[in-house]
Amino acid sequence: MTWENYYMPLTTGEAIELLVEKQGKARIIAGGTDLMVQHRSDPLNVRALIDIGRIPGLKEIREDSRRIYIGASVTHSQIVNSALLKKKGRVLVEAARTVGAPQIRNVGTVGGNVVNAQPAADTAIALTALDARIHILSGDGEFEKPVIDTFLGPGKSCIDPSKELVTAFSYSIPGPGERSCFARLARRESLALPIVNLGLWLCLEEDDHILKDIRIAVGPMSTVPFRARETEALLKGVLLDKAVIEKAGRSISDEVTPRDSFRGSADFKKQMIGVILKRSLESALEGKGVDSDEREQ
Amino acid sequence: MLFIPMLGKEKALNKGKGEKMKFSNLGKETPILDGLEKVTGRARYVPDLKVEGMLHGRILRSPYPHARLKKVDISKAERISGVRDIITGKKVSQHKFGPMVPDWVILPDDKVRFHGDEVAAVAATSEESAAEALSLIEVEYEVLPAVFDPELAMAEEAPLLYEEKENNIATTFYVHKGDVDKALAGSEIVFEETYQTNQVYQAYMETMAAVAAPGDYERLTMWLSTQIPSMSRLRYAEALEICAEDLRIIKPHVGGGFGAKFEYKAHILAAVLARRTGSPVRMVNNREEDFRAGNPRVPMKIWIKLGLAKDGTLLAKDTRIIAGNGARTVYAPAITSTACYRIDSLYKFKNVRSTGYTVYTNTIPTSCFRGFGNAQMHFAMESALDTICHQYNLDPIKIRQQNGVTPGFTSIHGWEIKSCALKECLDKAVEESNWYDKKKEPAEKSPVKKGIGVAICNHVSGNRPFFKPFDGSSALVRLTPEGKAIVFTGEADIGQGMNTAFALIAAEAVGLDVKNVRTAAVDTDISPFGLGSFATRGTTIGGRAVYEAAVNLKKQLLEHLARVYEKKIEQITINEGQIYFDDQEDPITVAKAIQTISYTLGGTSLVGHGVFVPETVLPDENKYGNVSPAYPFGCHIAEVEVDTETGRARLLNYWAVHDVGRVINKQTLEGQVEGGVMMGAGWALGEDMVVKEGKLLNPNFHDYCLPTAMDTPRGRIYSYFLESGDPNGPFGAKGIGEPSLNPVPAAIANAVFDAVGVRVKNLPITPEKILEGLASA
């Protein structure tokens, strides 16, 4: 271990003070499920780690009159078990449920998943589909921006964990006609990174299958979580029927530009993203989740 | 001590099947006796050991698949504080040895032959110092052309791994019985196909591990995570050029092996470093090393040609196998020969021919993995039969019943099938799975299709040619003055529950309560010689020796009871720890009686000694001869669903029916079957060691996708056990370890074909292959 001190502040203010004091030689640690693995192969060059797991406010899921807030150190398990999110954030619940295994979900946090900036991070894909905003605290004060704007490249986030602290994510409380769901394919049913994943949010005209609005977030289709805007445009204002759904599947396969990787060839990923978009649209119309596995993990 | 060897006598240890036998200890669900210490974490494995003054060993491994060692400079590494010794090929003896082919050296001084090959080894006072020293060893490599595919390695222009091995062929196996060409010419159905099985990793929980400690009298003690304590002792003595008696091997708890934990280079390096430094040395693979330089499954390309009569009678089998040996020989040649001919004793063949080449490549040395080549050939044979049935409208159940071996049959290779409930296994699996109803169900309308597939299997329970000098086992059962019995065996429980099976056998044979019986850890200073855990032999051969020892103990006990209590032997019955005299109302406990007896004999324990040497023979030059005292059989039926849009195949339900001879412990039997099925399913549906230019790309559990609990069947794995009562096994028992896996990949492949009409001939059955098959249909 390379660090000398391990701090456990009780407030965000204390955490920021420590970051400022250490002048870039300290960094934030949340669940550590990514950080500790990275540290073993590529040791962290810091003097201190600041563990935010004891800051009560960062572990809350709450709503106000307009938005839902998810604290940065909320774990995947907390999301999976949140009654509020089950009702008003299905895509996020379904995404969190697919991450790792129970042990990882009990420790790994949503903030860590986003800051780690992998192009197919499941909760990052879900938050992108929800058009969520990220709330950040630094020595200079508090600010917020769209989650999607934080991703700079594989493993690269604009958030500097030696200077800044993510406090929460937020998104608009879903209104009438809004639905969301999440889908992914992996080499096995648990404890696997996705071959492809997809977060879908859509808003239907009341009593109608006409799409008022739609957001499709997919990974790993680019260096960062990717919004399939061409396919979204194709679907906006259209009556969702079988033919349109088929067309949407073909459209997204053409739109994305994945790379060959260990988990699957580019062609395979293109084909699969079409399949899971089709299934997600069908499922969203039926008002059901898309995770076809009925077993609870 | 009385010593009554029961050399090869095929006594009727059981009544025939059909007759229900009353057992006090057998056939029940007995939790393994060391289960509590394992689940509470108290059980100690080799990596848990801490010996006073212990050094930490690490191995420098080659980053190239084939390279000449021009210079290995350890001068900087030696200066690291805490480093006690560094060995290279120049510092150690270059004599050759090896389990099958003498192509091993302690460390090479000329070249490295695979990415992961051992270049140097360090012993230091801490793991950190050892790691730092490794990073400072400067090696100058001259990279050589390398070859990775066994078939390409046989080509004239391929680079040679060993100059003296032409075409990189390590060994060739050939067998021909009957007249295959004539039989094929006379066959109404002739089928020909090529199948490929990939390289997979055993994924035992405890990685390869050793602690070697110099002891008194110039002896060396080694705590090993091993399946073969006694055999590795012989081999390591040869490697270290010492007398085997000066080597003491202790096998504590072992966290799985599945075939991988035979002779291993890191064990020897720990011993060399310990002898040179005079300090204990610990050598434990990290997971990546274990992937890169373990002993994974032998990959095979199998060409098979079958001839049948119109009615489905098998007339001829012709096979040619090219098997990957990796960069040095562990047990691949024996595995190739097994693939060539073991399955010939599953069916009533009259004409068989097989050629198998075991070929060097610049990849990880390959070795035993549950199934030992028979699993690879089962995939080919059982897939082929399924295709034939489909093409010629034959019933896949009936063709197996029609051709399968039966009790009393002697196979074409002279294998004597004494007990065999193969036909009954098929019947039971068909009945339980509702096979014929499911076959009639119309195809699903949704993109997800269901399918069902069958495969049968055979195996051995002991394999005479594996260790040339002998097959057999011996055991001691000691009854202490406190009334507890301890079984001493050299056979290695590596997690299968064999020690519990031995305790049950001893308890049953003597008439004790199993809670007063345990099996001692193997220690070659104390335990009898035991060949070890392989060839599904433990319960059958090791267990029979334990049975003989228990019978011998009981005989002594009865004699002493008669003497001390002044009775006739015929008046005495022993059952569940109680001794009954026919002229006395109340029984006395064994504990009380043995104390009384013991005190008349200077406090001694009674020790029963048992030997079992099966009447097996080394096959002759045409591979004829009965190799195993008993042959287990089984039938598996897999039900899958295949998503035609994503190509994913998933298990829905699985029925595994096995002829195990006799159920010793139902709980561990079920464990073995469920484990074997899932291990086979992992292999069939996704596990794959992905090697590019000789480098393993997925040496970790993240990228090497073992099935998880979530990947088990959506329904369940149903296991059933039929008791054919083998005349050689203890109480009739036969083995289960390997047969539980053998038919799995074929049963799944056949089910996938039934679901979507796609025949995957090269493992694993990936979504890509299924989609490709669907696209070209």
Side-chain angles (χ1 to χ4, degrees):
Chain A
M1 296 290 165
T2 50
W3 52 84
E4 294 155 6
N5 291 303
Y6 192 92
Y7 297 99
M8 304 187 85
L10 298 174
T11 65
T12 52
E14 275 178 48
I16 287 299
E17 266 176 43
L18 282 163
L19 282 178
V20 171
E21 183 192 313
K22 301 290 174 188
Q23 297 179 350
K25 283 289 171 195
R27 71 166 290 171
I28 302 290
I29 179 169
T33 51
D34 285 317
L35 200 64
M36 286 299 105
V37 176
Q38 288 159 14
H39 174 68
R40 288 192 79 153
S41 54
D42 184 14
L44 296 167
N45 182 25
V46 291
R47 289 262 176 75
L49 287 178
I50 302 168
D51 184 330
I52 57 169
R54 297 278 176 94
I55 303 174
L58 298 191
K59 298 172 91 165
E60 275 177 16
I61 301 170
R62 64 184 174 86
E63 63 180 329
D64 61 18
S65 58
R66 292 170 40 247
R67 296 180 78 77
I68 289 170
Y69 295 85
I70 297 147
S73 62
V74 163
T75 64
H76 294 85
S77 293
Q78 267 180 283
I79 292 175
V80 172
N81 296 316
S82 160
L84 174 67
L85 294 180
K86 277 179 192 166
K87 257 167 49 191
K88 299 178 182 177
R90 153 159 254 145
V91 62
L92 193 55
V93 173
E94 289 176 352
R97 193 165 64 207
T98 65
V99 172
Q103 295 90 331
I104 292 170
R105 292 194 290 275
N106 286 341
V107 179
T109 66
V110 60
N113 203 221
V114 170
V115 176
N116 198 41
Q118 291 304 318
D122 296 288
T123 63
I125 293 289
L127 288 167
T128 301
L130 289 167
D131 200 23
R133 297 181 73 78
I134 186 166
H135 301 255
I136 301 160
L137 195 62
S138 77
D140 303 328
E142 196 168 359
F143 61 102
E144 58 173 85
K145 58 162 90 177
V147 167
I148 195 170
D149 292 347
T150 65
F151 305 115
L152 304 178
K156 276 198 194 134
S157 166
C158 75
I159 293 150
D160 181 348
S162 68
K163 293 197 176 68
E164 295 161 334
L165 170 66
V166 178
T167 56
F169 302 90
S170 73
Y171 63 91
S172 299
I173 291 175
E178 288 185 36
R179 289 171 189 182
S180 72
C181 63
F182 180 85
R184 58 133 65 181
L185 289 176
R187 291 281 164 196
R188 62 183 167 199
E189 296 296 313
S190 177
L191 201 60
L193 290 178
I195 300 166
V196 295
N197 60 1
L198 178 146
L200 175 67
W201 171 91
L202 53 79
C203 181
L204 293 168
E205 297 278 3
E206 272 180 67
D207 303 326
D208 203 337
H209 281 177
I210 290 176
L211 269 177
K212 268 189 357 205
D213 200 2
I214 184 167
R215 289 190 292 270
I216 305 167
V218 290
M221 294 297 157
S222 166
T223 55
V224 294
F226 180 76
R227 274 281 295 277
R229 292 183 196 272
E230 285 173 27
T231 304
E232 289 175 6
L234 184 83
L235 292 167
K236 258 181 223 174
V238 171
L239 179 80
L240 261 194
D241 60 16
K242 217 171 154 44
V244 168
I245 288 175
E246 286 291 330
K247 207 168 136 194
R250 285 195 299 275
S251 163
I252 198 165
S253 292
D254 289 341
E255 183 179 357
V256 295
T257 52
R259 285 172 35 178
D260 287 331
S261 79
F262 190 78
R263 268 167 276 280
S265 69
D267 284 345
F268 181 59
K269 289 178 191 170
K270 282 164 90 79
Q271 191 182 347
M272 288 305 104
I273 201 72
V275 172
I276 66 170
L277 175 61
K278 266 172 30 189
R279 291 186 177 182
S280 299
L281 287 169
E282 282 162 7
S283 152
L285 279 188
E286 290 163 13
K288 286 197 301 198
V290 293
D291 186 350
S292 62
D293 195 336
E294 63 277 10
R295 287 195 297 189
E296 279 297 313
Q297 292 190 22
Chain B
M1 187 168 66
L2 289 168
F3 174 42
I4 308 171
M6 302 282 185
L7 294 173
K9 267 188 214 154
E10 278 164 21
K11 299 186 308 171
L13 300 184
N14 57 89
K15 296 171 188 167
K17 66 177 184 244
E19 282 176 65
K20 279 277 169 210
M21 290 187 66
K22 279 264 185 203
F23 295 113
S24 307
N25 295 287
L26 308 185
K28 301 185 164 70
E29 299 201 6
T30 308
I32 53 169
L33 300 178
D34 50 4
L36 191 64
E37 59 195 275
K38 283 181 173 171
V39 297
T40 54
R42 277 187 290 116
R44 287 286 169 263
Y45 297 77
V46 173
D48 300 318
L49 290 178
K50 288 189 176 61
V51 183
E52 184 69 31
M54 187 172 77
L55 302 175
H56 297 268
R58 286 291 301 272
I59 296 167
L60 181 70
R61 298 184 180 280
S62 168
Y64 300 105
H66 201 187
R68 200 165 298 288
L69 291 168
K70 294 188 75 176
K71 197 173 159 199
V72 183
D73 181 355
I74 59 169
S75 55
K76 282 187 189 147
E78 276 180 321
R79 273 181 243 137
I80 297 300
S81 114
V83 170
R84 291 276 302 277
D85 194 16
I86 302 177
I87 51 172
T88 64
K90 295 270 181 252
K91 287 188 167 189
V92 295
S93 161
Q94 288 295 306
H95 74 286
K96 291 190 159 49
F97 57 94
M100 293 200 75
V101 175
D103 56 10
W104 293 35
V105 288
I106 292 169
L107 284 171
D109 71 348
D110 54 351
K111 61 180 191 172
V112 285
R113 293 178 173 86
F114 72 99
H115 189 284
D117 204 352
E118 297 83 2
V119 175
V122 176
T125 51
S126 71
E127 285 188 59
E128 289 74 16
S129 297
E132 199 181 350
L134 278 193
S135 69
L136 291 173
I137 297 174
E138 291 171 354
V139 187
E140 208 178 305
Y141 296 97
E142 178 194 334
V143 178
L144 299 169
V147 62
F148 311 111
D149 178 90
E151 206 169 5
L152 296 179
M154 291 168 77
E156 286 307 322
E157 62 278 14
L160 292 179
L161 273 83
Y162 299 86
E163 290 305 321
E164 68 280 14
K165 295 285 184 182
E166 262 179 66
N167 302 113
N168 286 312
I169 296 172
T171 56
T172 304
F173 177 92
Y174 178 76
V175 65
H176 188 183
K177 294 215 178 79
D179 188 337
V180 167
D181 293 322
K182 196 174 149 201
L184 282 170
S187 295
E188 288 153 312
I189 298 170
V190 176
F191 175 83
E192 187 178 342
E193 191 53 271
T194 303
Y195 299 89
Q196 265 182 286
T197 61
N198 60 325
Q199 186 160 307
V200 283
Y201 172 65
Q202 293 89 344
Y204 30 82
M205 285 202 280
E206 178 197 22
T207 58
M208 303 278 198
V211 173
D216 296 338
Y217 310 106
E218 299 293 309
R219 297 181 83 223
L220 186 73
T221 300
M222 295 180 80
W223 288 267
L224 298 178
S225 177
T226 181
Q227 304 178 211
I228 50 159
S230 304
M231 266 166 56
S232 55
R233 178 164 170 260
L234 296 178
R235 199 82 62 205
Y236 296 167
E238 189 189 329
L240 300 169
E241 298 173 283
I242 60 174
C243 171
E245 184 44 42
D246 290 333
L247 194 54
R248 175 185 181 191
I249 308 280
I250 300 172
K251 180 209 72 72
H253 290 292
V254 172
F258 308 104
K261 290 180 178 171
F262 280 71
E263 293 90 342
Y264 192 59
K265 199 62 124 19
H267 295 174
I268 300 167
L269 292 170
V272 171
L273 287 167
R275 280 162 54 86
R276 284 170 57 98
T277 59
S279 299
V281 173
R282 173 187 193 266
M283 194 76 91
V284 179
N285 273 0
N286 62 37
R287 188 58 72 178
E288 184 181 333
E289 285 184 290
D290 215 81
F291 266 104
R292 285 176 60 196
N295 287 319
R297 190 182 286 279
V298 179
M300 290 187 189
K301 186 167 184 180
I302 302 171
W303 169 86
I304 184 167
K305 193 170 184 179
L306 292 170
L308 297 88
K310 209 163 48 187
D311 70 351
T313 305
L314 280 167
L315 301 175
K317 167 179 163 277
D318 199 6
T319 51
R320 185 170 178 271
I321 296 173
I322 297 173
N325 192 31
R328 66 173 169 256
T329 311
V330 192
Y331 284 99
I335 291 156
T336 308
S337 58
T338 296
C340 281
Y341 89 131
R342 187 170 290 176
I343 208 164
D344 298 349
S345 299
L346 174 60
Y347 293 108
K348 292 182 173 176
F349 280 110
K350 292 194 176 68
N351 304 282
V352 292
R353 178 169 59 198
S354 198
T355 310
Y357 302 99
T358 308
V359 184
Y360 287 112
T361 57
N362 292 107
T363 58
I364 311 166
T366 61
S367 191
C368 320
F369 189 154
R370 204 176 195 170
F372 201 70
N374 205 24
Q376 285 91 322
M377 181 50 90
H378 270 70
F379 173 64
M381 178 73 196
E382 294 297 285
S383 292
L385 268 190
D386 200 66
T387 306
I388 290 166
C389 288
H390 181 74
Q391 286 178 359
Y392 296 92
N393 203 21
L394 295 165
D395 184 322
I397 304 294
K398 290 201 182 104
I399 199 172
R400 289 175 167 92
Q401 285 181 325
Q402 181 183 344
N403 292 288
V405 294
T406 46
F409 182 78
T410 299
S411 82
I412 191 157
H413 299 305
W415 294 19
E416 294 162 16
I417 313 299
K418 297 188 173 72
S419 63
C420 173
L422 178 59
K423 189 180 176 304
E424 293 83 352
C425 286
L426 272 150
D427 289 340
K428 181 80 177 164
V430 162
E431 181 196 327
E432 295 292 342
S433 66
N434 251 330
W435 170 270
Y436 285 106
D437 289 343
K438 288 204 166 108
K439 285 299 250 189
K440 275 184 240 146
E441 279 172 17
E444 291 70 21
K445 289 207 178 69
S446 76
V448 180
K449 315 286 184 198
K450 281 187 193 176
I452 191 163
V454 65
I456 58 171
C457 73
N458 73 335
H459 211 70
V460 292
S461 291
N463 183 17
R464 179 63 190 85
F466 191 84
F467 182 68
K468 288 287 177 298
F470 76 93
D471 196 4
S473 190
S474 68
L476 305 172
V477 181
R478 191 172 85 192
L479 188 58
T480 69
E482 295 75 32
K484 303 257 185 187
I486 307 169
V487 177
F488 293 88
T489 172
E491 308 300 346
D493 188 331
I494 55 170
Q496 326 93 309
M498 209 159 77
N499 282 351
T500 305
F502 290 166
L504 287 165
I505 289 166
E508 190 69 38
V510 179
L512 302 173
D513 184 336
V514 71
K515 72 173 193 289
N516 290 321
V517 186
R518 63 187 172 87
T519 303
V522 177
D523 176 342
T524 57
D525 268 9
I526 298 161
S527 312
F529 189 107
L531 287 177
S533 281
F534 55 86
T536 303
R537 63 187 290 285
T539 302
T540 311
I541 295 181
R544 173 70 184 273
V546 171
Y547 171 85
E548 299 296 347
V551 167
N552 176 242
L553 171 68
K554 184 169 185 175
K555 183 171 184 294
Q556 296 177 47
L557 181 58
L558 287 168
E559 284 167 3
H560 287 297
L561 285 167
R563 173 178 61 83
V564 172
Y565 292 92
E566 295 176 351
K567 309 278 182 195
K568 290 204 173 72
I569 286 175
E570 305 79 60
Q571 289 182 279
I572 312 168
T573 313
I574 311 173
N575 191 27
E576 292 183 56
Q578 302 286 327
I579 296 165
Y580 301 85
F581 300 112
D582 68 354
D583 57 355
Q584 209 170 296
E585 184 93 351
D586 295 325
I588 58 169
T589 63
V590 168
K592 185 168 166 24
I594 184 64
Q595 192 178 61
T596 309
I597 292 167
S598 176
Y599 290 175
T600 71
L601 296 168
T604 190
S605 298
L606 292 186
V607 182
H609 188 179
V611 173
F612 177 56
V613 179
E615 281 185 333
T616 51
V617 294
L618 270 179
D620 64 18
E621 66 273 20
N622 198 27
K623 324 303 190 262
Y624 190 90
N626 187 36
V627 297
S628 175
Y631 300 94
F633 299 93
C635 174
H636 285 196
I637 287 179
E639 187 182 18
V640 301
E641 59 178 25
V642 182
D643 186 325
T644 53
E645 291 181 341
T646 65
R648 273 273 281 178
R650 278 212 57 175
L651 288 177
L652 276 180
N653 284 295
Y654 203 97
W655 294 268
V657 187
H658 286 272
D659 166 14
V660 296
R662 179 80 60 215
V663 177
I664 301 292
N665 184 357
K666 189 152 182 282
Q667 191 175 89
T668 46
L669 263 181
E670 282 175 355
Q672 283 275 25
V673 169
E674 287 168 15
V677 169
M678 283 319 297
M679 199 167 216
W683 181 24
L685 293 174
E687 282 180 49
D688 195 20
M689 296 177 79
V690 183
V691 176
K692 197 173 172 190
E693 295 297 304
K695 186 180 176 185
L696 181 65
L697 298 183
N698 53 343
N700 59 67
F701 283 142
H702 197 175
D703 296 319
Y704 183 88
C705 270
L706 287 169
T708 69
M710 296 296 292
D711 297 276
T712 56
R714 277 187 206 280
R716 57 173 283 200
I717 298 167
Y718 299 91
S719 49
Y720 304 92
F721 304 107
L722 303 184
E723 299 187 305
S724 60
D726 193 89
N728 282 329
F731 298 102
K734 304 191 274 189
I736 188 65
E738 296 173 276
S740 64
L741 181 142
N742 284 345
V744 179
I748 293 174
N750 294 344
V752 167
F753 178 82
D754 183 53
V756 293
V758 175
R759 173 61 60 184
V760 180
K761 290 170 287 203
N762 55 337
L763 293 177
I765 304 166
T766 59
E768 287 93 333
K769 288 175 196 169
I770 290 177
L771 289 176
E772 197 185 316
L774 285 167
S776 63

